[in-house]
Amino acid sequence: MANFNTHLNVAFMVSGTLSLTVYKAGLIDDSGFLMCVALGTIGGLLPDLDSDNSTPIKLGFNIISFIFAFGLVMHWRSELSLLALIVLWLIGYGFMRYVVFSVFTTITVHRGVIHSVPYMAILGLGLTCLSYYGLQLPLTTSWFYGSFLFIGALVHLLLDELYSVNLSNMKMKRSSGTAMKFYQHKDKWWYLLLYATVVLLVYAAPPFELFWSRLSNPSAWAQLKVGMLPEMIENMLR
């Protein structure tokens, strides 16, 4: 499979190119552009959350552990002494970083249900719902955020599948078919739960029709066409 740097770089390039496209079309603003690039890049690392020794999972749990410990200290800061707060900080961080991390890595299997298309669809739809209903962001922005996270994850899965082909003698490696999965019979109950969750999120998500009408508006793409090439090249092609 592709390594961490490959996933990071390719996800960044793909999300950056797509973000620039919708930005130049006037579909997102400056902050939306930066968020789409970031979310697409993060999405390119998400499927490896089920790998016990992957860089994304270690980095992610480190960040979560710090945030959890900080939240505990901030909640109890006016009620506990300095020594008690230090102890609470260390216990909170240690609990998340070692206990919860150990449980998570025990119950997950690399390239299991987390490393699948429906799981990534859940994350994308979940972010869309969170952005729209929780953060009160505009509908178009919310759908773009969820879509870029999902697209980045698909780039990761596609890269892993491409790396499962031995191009020197055109043979498939043993890992072929284990990356971009829609279903595995041995995990049928997990996949039933995943697809049920996808259906619920699709039902709860903000209206897709409004997002699609905005995305397919000819005026946006006419604006993109005008500024697609440098003025000098456009003059040469006329």
Side-chain angles (χ1 to χ4, degrees), residues 224-238:
L224 175 66
K225 185 178 179 180
V226 171
M228 182 173 294
L229 297 175
E231 185 177 351
M232 181 180 68
I233 296 180
E234 287 186 348
N235 293 334
M236 293 174 59
L237 294 176
R238 289 174 183 171

Side-chain angles (χ1 to χ4, degrees), residues 42 65 87 134 148 162 165 167 182-183 191 212 218 224 227 230:
I42 292 171
S65 300
V87 172
F148 269 85
L162 291 175
V165 179
L167 296 177
F182 289 88
Y183 176 78
Y191 277 95
W212 181 251
L224 175 66

